[in-house]
Amino acid sequence: MVVPILKQSDVLIASIQAALTDADLLQLRDDLLAKVGQYRSRGVVIDVTALDVMDSFATRTLRSIAEAARLRGARTVIVGIQPEVAITMVQLGLVLGAVSTALDLEEGLELLGALNRKDAPGG
Amino acid sequence: MADDYARAERHLRDVAEYDVERRRRYVDLQPIDIAQIGELREAILNHLDAHVEAFFGYLAQYPEASGLFSRRNLLEDARRLKREHLIAMVGGEYGRPYVEQRVALGALYSKVRLDIRLFLGAFQALSRSIVNQIMALSPGDGPKGFQRSESLMKIVFFDIGIIMDVLIADREQTITLQQEAIRELSTPTLQVRDRLLIMPIIGVLDTHRARQLTEGLLNAIRANRAKVVVMDVTGVATVDSKVANHLLQTIAAAGLMGAEVIVTGLSAEVAQSLVTLGVDLTKLNAVGDLQGGLEEAERLLGYEVVKTRVQVARRPLD
Amino acid sequence: MVDEAREGLEGELLVPIERDPDVVTARQKGREMAVEAGLSGSDLTLIATAISEVARNILVYAGHGEIILRQLERNGRRGVCVIARDEGPGIQDIPLAMQDGYSTGRSLGLGLPGAKRLMDDFEIVSEVGKGVTVTMMKWRR
Ligand SMILES: Nc1ncnc2c1ncn2[C@@H]1O[C@H](COP(=O)(O)OP(=O)(O)O)[C@@H](O)[C@H]1O
Ligand SMILES: [Mg+2]
């Protein structure tokens, strides 16, 4: 299951379409990080609406994507965490660390804009 | 009537053939009983109106049964069904069709909220009327009258069993519906304006309600695309550590969905239990009262420049 | 508890855990069985996530093993039972492995303690050199 990655101006959008194996998640990480460098993206939105579970591996991988992307100059926002998934993550003890979240793609893009304006010199 | 049949149908799903058989076994209905009832058929059919009257005459004495008498067409239906009932009662066939008729009548009683005790009284009056007639049929032969009455009584109890089941099942369903309604009322979410929800929590928060609150809140966030939720706990006097922990988890889960929760109206006692939990409260955005909470929410949602700065300061979930 | 799990009869499903996609299969089957047992809402996600954790542990620490899924009924209450079993190296110090953040795999160390929090019943037995069996249950509310 390959996760399609869309480029929209300086933002990369990865929309997960179905359940992912651990290998798929690692593939997503590698693809995203490569593309961040390739396009010099300023932001990454990962849409997890269709993800059936967010277990410790998925969370750790998304966190590592966000951290590595940040080192390469892009902010990451996770969007679409469903109510059941959110409550499960909390009970499992998972935290997303410094990763930002938003309700959906639209919100995520808006939040990225705000984050980047703040990062910008004089912003 | 359509309504009654809908109710009856619901119950009928449970009336399987084996169930009918079991019910007959429970009242020990034997071929000899059916033969004895056959001997009574004609006499009872000749007195049908008197027996029907015994039933309704009994009910008419009680204002509690007015639900049945205030609605003319219902009463007519009930009388008709009761006549059919008596005809079937001495008809000798006590299979599924017979049970279905009883269920339909039971559904009607349930609809007019006939008190179970009143129903039993009326049914007793009806039985007495029939037994009196049976005894009069064999003057001078008490044992014979007694045996015939006994056979008929088996049918009477067979009927009571069915009606009881219908009344109880309907009552249980009503209770379930009420409980659901109360539950929903107890944790409402109100949309104040675009992207802003208020969730006032009133009363005792136990584990069960806390769980509903979580699901209610998270689903409301998604449904309303809420960005900020003001959770007002002014009406909550105490919480135990389990519930307090649950509240914090809910707030964290809302955060994962991209919504910020502002808690207002924390009483001294509740604040104390949160502190003694020993969990990280730095992420808890608490404001003294509802008014202040709404102002804070407006600020979070408000003017773009302000919004940007505030969000950046608050978004990280760590 | 393990005995009781063994008694659950209604439907039983064995999912071999040998490769990465098997973890996804196991959690999907677990979710389906939970639906059959009358569970709903976030409970389905809780179960699927707990399965994901123990199934991954099988792959990572034991190489291969199996997940057994069963429907349960106790006093008229229904539920599902998940057994994760392998014949890998086992766990030497179970209380340590059950601590939040403890990991020999340089991962988050939340799989076992987290799965325990997600489920209603949780039991782990292990003999060093012989493998690990995790038995967990979730009941309908
Ligand atoms: N099936 C298993 N076989 C052997 N060791 C295991 C198994 N499952 C878990 N462990 C041990 O328990 C530790 C904690 O597991 P877990 O809580 O899932 O966290 P993590 O997998 O992130 O390390 C693992 O690091 C490993 O040492
Ligand atoms: Mg693990």
Side-chain angles (χ1 to χ4, degrees):
Chain A
M1 169 57 60
V2 179
V3 178
I5 299 172
L6 225 94
K7 181 182 166 301
Q8 186 177 308
S9 68
D10 60 354
V11 175
L12 296 175
I13 302 169
S15 322
I16 297 172
Q17 309 288 317
L20 295 185
T21 66
D22 292 357
D24 295 334
L25 277 160
L26 294 176
Q27 182 72 50
L28 172 65
R29 181 192 63 188
D30 296 347
D31 289 353
L32 268 176
L33 292 178
K35 286 209 159 79
V36 166
Q38 186 184 341
Y39 298 118
R40 295 210 229 137
S41 306
R42 305 259 355 251
V44 174
V45 178
I46 305 175
D47 187 347
V48 299
T49 308
L51 210 57
D52 62 333
V53 305
M54 267 280 237
D55 57 14
S56 61
F57 189 84
T59 302
R60 184 163 69 107
T61 309
L62 293 181
R63 268 169 65 164
S64 71
I65 291 174
E67 278 152 23
R70 186 159 157 75
L71 294 178
R72 309 196 71 183
R75 306 291 297 249
T76 301
V77 178
I78 312 280
V79 305
I81 297 181
Q82 296 301 299
E84 311 82 58
V85 173
I87 196 66
T88 304
M89 287 176 71
V90 172
Q91 284 187 32
L92 197 69
L94 298 170
V95 285
L96 276 176
V99 184
S100 305
T101 56
L103 190 75
D104 53 22
L105 187 57
E106 191 187 325
E107 288 285 309
L109 289 170
E110 194 187 306
L111 179 59
L112 263 186
L115 290 170
N116 282 333
R117 270 195 300 283
K118 182 230 164 203
D119 284 349
Chain B
M1 264 329 260
D3 194 23
D4 299 333
Y5 287 128
R7 276 167 185 254
E9 214 162 277
R10 205 173 59 233
H11 297 298
L12 279 176
R13 264 184 258 129
D14 308 329
V15 184
E17 207 54 60
Y18 76 86
D19 185 49
V20 177
E21 159 59 27
R22 192 173 50 185
R23 285 173 187 276
R24 276 197 302 256
R25 203 157 7 98
Y26 285 169
V27 297
D28 190 31
L29 189 66
Q30 302 288 339
I32 171 82
D33 297 311
I34 296 177
Q36 300 229 50
I37 292 167
E39 294 169 22
L40 302 166
R41 186 172 304 136
E42 221 183 295
I44 290 184
L45 290 182
N46 284 334
H47 279 75
L48 219 49
D49 289 331
H51 298 318
V52 170
E53 202 36 52
F55 185 84
F56 289 98
Y58 174 91
L59 288 178
Q61 308 169 62
Y62 293 93
E64 300 94 299
S66 61
L68 186 59
F69 293 93
S70 59
R71 281 181 270 179
R72 187 163 198 92
N73 50 348
L74 269 183
L75 183 61
E76 273 163 20
D77 279 333
R79 279 186 187 277
R80 185 175 49 74
L81 286 171
K82 182 50 76 186
R83 272 183 80 88
E84 284 171 10
H85 174 201
L86 291 179
I87 295 168
M89 207 172 173
V90 291
E93 297 281 350
Y94 309 101
R96 205 184 140 128
Y98 184 84
V99 174
E100 285 174 8
Q101 264 190 326
R102 303 287 67 72
V103 169
L105 194 54
L108 191 147
Y109 295 152
S110 169
K111 185 179 173 183
V112 299
R113 304 198 188 292
L114 185 60
D115 189 311
I116 293 180
R117 292 158 298 186
L118 266 186
F119 160 77
L120 284 175
F123 213 88
Q124 208 255 332
L126 171 71
S127 319
R128 203 181 320 117
S129 165
I130 297 174
V131 168
N132 285 342
Q133 198 204 344
I134 294 173
M135 296 308 283
L137 282 176
S138 54
D141 193 350
K144 186 179 183 90
F146 184 73
Q147 273 169 13
R148 285 167 157 181
S149 303
E150 210 177 6
S151 294
L152 199 87
M153 275 303 149
K154 292 185 180 178
I155 303 296
V156 166
F157 278 94
F158 179 76
D159 292 354
I160 290 176
I162 298 164
I163 302 280
M164 284 297 182
D165 282 350
V166 173
L167 293 179
I168 290 169
D170 268 357
R171 183 176 287 194
E172 273 170 6
Q173 208 211 351
T174 308
I175 292 172
T176 311
L177 289 177
Q178 282 168 345
Q179 280 173 342
E180 272 168 26
I182 290 168
R183 234 178 265 143
E184 263 186 24
L185 278 177
S186 65
T187 49
T189 45
L190 317 165
Q191 180 159 25
V192 192
R193 69 179 193 74
D194 198 30
R195 326 310 293 278
L196 174 56
L197 291 177
I198 296 190
M199 190 173 209
I201 303 171
I202 297 156
V204 181
L205 259 191
D206 54 17
T207 320
H208 182 65
R209 257 193 85 199
R211 190 179 281 156
Q212 277 165 354
L213 180 143
T214 305
E215 298 200 349
L217 178 66
L218 299 184
N219 288 326
I221 287 171
R222 185 172 54 180
N224 298 287
R225 301 190 76 236
K227 223 165 170 171
V228 181
V229 181
V230 177
M231 186 191 280
D232 183 55
V233 296
T234 309
V236 178
T238 55
V239 293
D240 62 17
S241 64
K242 219 171 144 188
V243 170
N245 205 21
H246 199 100
L247 279 181
L248 291 173
Q249 287 190 347
T250 303
I251 292 167
L256 287 174
M257 292 180 67
E260 171 145 10
V261 179
I262 301 167
V263 180
T264 62
L266 280 169
S267 71
E269 203 179 336
V270 174
Q272 195 63 43
S273 20
L274 286 179
V275 172
T276 48
L277 258 183
V279 295
D280 179 17
L281 294 174
T282 52
K283 277 167 291 176
L284 188 72
N285 188 355
V287 176
D289 62 2
L290 182 58
Q291 185 54 41
L294 286 173
E295 282 165 19
E296 165 82 353
E298 295 281 342
R299 216 157 51 75
L300 286 176
L301 289 165
Y303 187 52
E304 184 66 26
V305 174
V306 178
K307 174 162 94 176
T308 304
R309 206 175 308 130
V310 173
Q311 275 186 346
V312 171
R314 293 185 191 285
R315 264 320 145 121
L317 290 157
D318 226 0
Chain C
M1 190 178 94
V2 179
D3 282 346
E4 183 185 14
R6 234 173 248 137
E7 280 165 23
L9 290 172
E10 254 188 59
E12 173 170 316
L13 201 69
L14 189 148
V15 185
I17 304 294
E18 274 146 18
R19 301 170 313 122
D20 203 28
D22 298 336
V23 175
V24 176
T25 307
R27 69 193 191 210
Q28 284 171 345
K29 295 290 176 201
R31 186 188 285 263
E32 283 166 21
M33 186 166 285
V35 170
E36 273 170 42
L39 287 99
S40 59
S42 56
D43 281 349
L44 303 178
T45 308
L46 298 184
I47 291 168
T49 308
I51 292 175
S52 198
E53 293 295 343
V54 292
R56 173 174 307 103
N57 282 352
I58 290 177
L59 272 189
V60 174
Y61 304 110
H64 61 91
E66 60 198 20
I67 300 275
I68 299 162
L69 301 166
R70 282 185 188 144
Q71 291 202 42
L72 298 171
E73 186 162 347
R74 183 204 284 167
N75 304 330
R77 212 168 159 213
R78 300 180 68 194
V80 284
C81 172
V82 179
I83 301 170
R85 195 156 59 193
D86 67 63
E87 293 176 355
I91 300 175
Q92 199 149 29
D93 188 342
I94 289 181
L96 190 61
M98 288 305 295
Q99 271 180 27
D100 275 347
Y102 174 81
S103 174
T104 59
R106 290 203 284 157
S107 41
L108 296 179
L110 288 170
L112 291 176
K116 179 174 179 172
R117 282 190 290 270
L118 297 182
M119 302 294 278
D120 293 329
D121 303 295
F122 183 98
E123 189 179 86
I124 176 166
V125 284
S126 175
E127 204 177 315
V128 174
K130 294 212 166 138
V132 175
T133 301
V134 176
T135 307
M136 25 188 217
M137 300 179 191
K138 186 96 191 163
W139 298 94
R140 198 182 148 164
R141 283 183 201 154

